[in-house]
Amino acid sequence: MRSRTPLPGRSPVTAAENPRLPLPALLALATAVFVTSLTETLPAGLLPAMSAGLGVGESAAGQSVTVYAAGTALTAIPLATATATWPRKRLLLAAMTGFAVANTVTTASYSYPLTMTARFVAGVAAGLAWALLAGYARRLVPVPLQGRAVAVVMTGIPVALSLGVPAGTYLGGLLGWRAAFALMTVVAVMLLGWIGLAVPERPGQPGGERSPMVRALSVPGVVPVLFVTLALVLAHTVLYAYIATFLDRSGMGGSADLVLLVFGAASLAGVWVVGARIDRALRALTLASTLLVGAGAGLLALFAGSQALVFTAAALWGLGWGGVPTLLQTAVADAGGARADAAQAMLVTLWNAAMAGGGVAGGVLLDTFGARAFPWTVLVLLVPVLAVVTSARAHGFPIRRVGA
């Protein structure tokens, strides 16, 4: 067997040295993210129809989102612990089957308690999926491409927010709210086949290496990332959950859909930027994202009466927020090392706790100080975020990622 001699000044290039992203597999995982995100937020655009169909008030129907988040927050850590040794593909298929079943029950149910139970089950499936998706994506590629792989998978979030929710709302208005959930079942079933064909199996954690979940907190860098997750998601949710109310009080109630469209489009751009640079600039991108969200909040706080500046604020906010899920998932996985799955389960729990807390905190702020308090609250919460990211230069948000 003859070996090929490289040309002078050039080294031989092998597949291992020039790796490519396994896009069919990563896009299947991205669709799983899309399904989980859209299943959670879909009721937001369907509340009047859902409340009428279930015979309850809109506030009661709105608890379908809270119950979903509670299911995720309460079960992500115990389920991640219980299934740590399971093969990853089998676990993901189980989670997507849970979504298909939960959305089917939601579609057919005329009982409010049954619908709430189905939403809780969907939240449990989300906790199971979110605790493994980022880690799964990282295991499909070599270290230099791990951040980019997670970025591809996390595009499911802004796509769900910018396109999925408006499309689901339109479909609900055209064919009824049950049709929107029925379509989610169809997507979940199709995704099961896609995962089966395109996503390679990866083993779970060996049984002899299992350790208590809480030990991940002792790994340097994990706690700073978890704190940033809690504060940053809380800040975002306080404003995002009540953006329609904020715009209405600012005289732009009729433009909420356009503002959210700008936010969603900018989020997609943010995902692209983060995906292109995360493997070499995670720390800088996290700081930049936080500052962009702060700039958007600052414009809303000071110039809510100007339509042009409100749209500018939405663009800055979206550009900053779009890459946040990728940045935090990558940061906690890097910091967690051998305990990355445990750290990611904690991140999922805190993420959903912050979403639930943001909804509650926003309601208190609205009743106590009015809608104008939302952007100022965001700015206050971003101060400790910047402080922690800046100080966690050795672990958590290091100046240089290991292996990048």
Side-chain angles (χ1 to χ4, degrees), residues 329-358:
Q329 288 270 11
T330 300
V332 83
D334 284 354
R339 297 191 174 97
D341 286 349
Q344 285 172 333
M346 291 182 181
L347 183 143
V348 170
T349 297
L350 285 178
W351 187 290
N352 283 274
M355 288 184 66

Side-chain angles (χ1 to χ4, degrees), residues 46-360:
L46 303 171
L47 283 184
M50 285 186 69
S51 66
L54 295 172
V56 297
E58 288 190 26
S59 60
Q63 298 310 305
S64 60
V65 177
T66 304
V67 167
Y68 183 106
T72 300
L74 291 173
T75 63
I77 290 178
L79 278 179
T81 301
T83 60
T85 60
W86 285 31
R88 301 293 92 181
K89 185 172 181 176
R90 183 190 306 174
L91 194 57
L92 181 58
L93 289 171
M96 291 304 104
T97 300
F99 273 102
V101 171
N103 282 315
T104 299
V105 173
T106 302
T107 300
S109 172
Y110 285 84
S111 164
Y112 179 73
L114 180 59
T115 300
M116 293 298 102
T117 300
R119 291 291 296 172
F120 184 84
V121 170
V124 172
L128 191 61
W130 272 89
L132 70 91
L133 280 167
Y136 205 160
R138 288 166 63 90
R139 294 182 189 183
L140 296 178
V141 298
V143 173
L145 294 180
Q146 287 180 343
R148 197 173 303 174
V150 175
V152 172
V153 171
M154 290 301 143
T155 56
I157 297 176
V159 170
L161 294 178
S162 60
L163 301 178
V165 173
T169 303
Y170 174 78
L171 180 63
L174 191 66
L175 300 176
W177 67 272
R178 298 179 188 278
F181 283 98
L183 181 59
M184 293 305 300
T185 295
V186 173
V187 172
V189 171
M190 294 176 63
L191 180 58
L192 286 171
W194 188 358
I195 292 170
L197 292 173
V199 180
E201 182 63 277
R202 289 294 182 269
Q205 187 176 345
E209 296 181 7
R210 295 181 63 178
S211 59
M213 182 75 65
V214 73
R215 289 188 182 178
L217 295 175
S218 65
V219 179
V222 169
V223 170
V225 178
L226 294 179
F227 174 83
V228 168
T229 299
L230 182 64
L232 192 51
V233 175
L234 181 63
H236 165 77
T237 306
V238 162
L239 183 56
Y240 187 85
Y242 293 90
I243 187 62
T245 301
F246 176 83
L247 293 172
D248 184 62
R249 303 292 172 85
S250 302
M252 290 183 60
S255 301
D257 54 347
L258 292 177
V259 171
L260 289 174
L261 181 62
V262 169
F263 171 87
S267 294
L268 289 173
V271 171
W272 183 85
V273 172
V274 166
R277 302 294 300 170
I278 187 172
D279 290 306
R280 295 190 178 185
L282 185 146
R283 175 184 175 82
L285 287 168
T286 305
L287 289 169
S289 294
T290 305
L291 291 172
L292 283 169
V293 172
L299 285 178
L300 291 177
L302 297 173
F303 304 105
S306 168
Q307 289 195 12
L309 291 178
V310 167
F311 281 110
T312 301
L316 292 172
W317 176 19
L319 186 61
W321 180 255
V324 165
T326 302
L327 291 167
L328 296 178
Q329 288 270 11
T330 300
V332 83
D334 284 354
R339 297 191 174 97
D341 286 349
Q344 285 172 333
M346 291 182 181
L347 183 143
V348 170
T349 297
L350 285 178
W351 187 290
N352 283 274
M355 288 184 66
V360 173

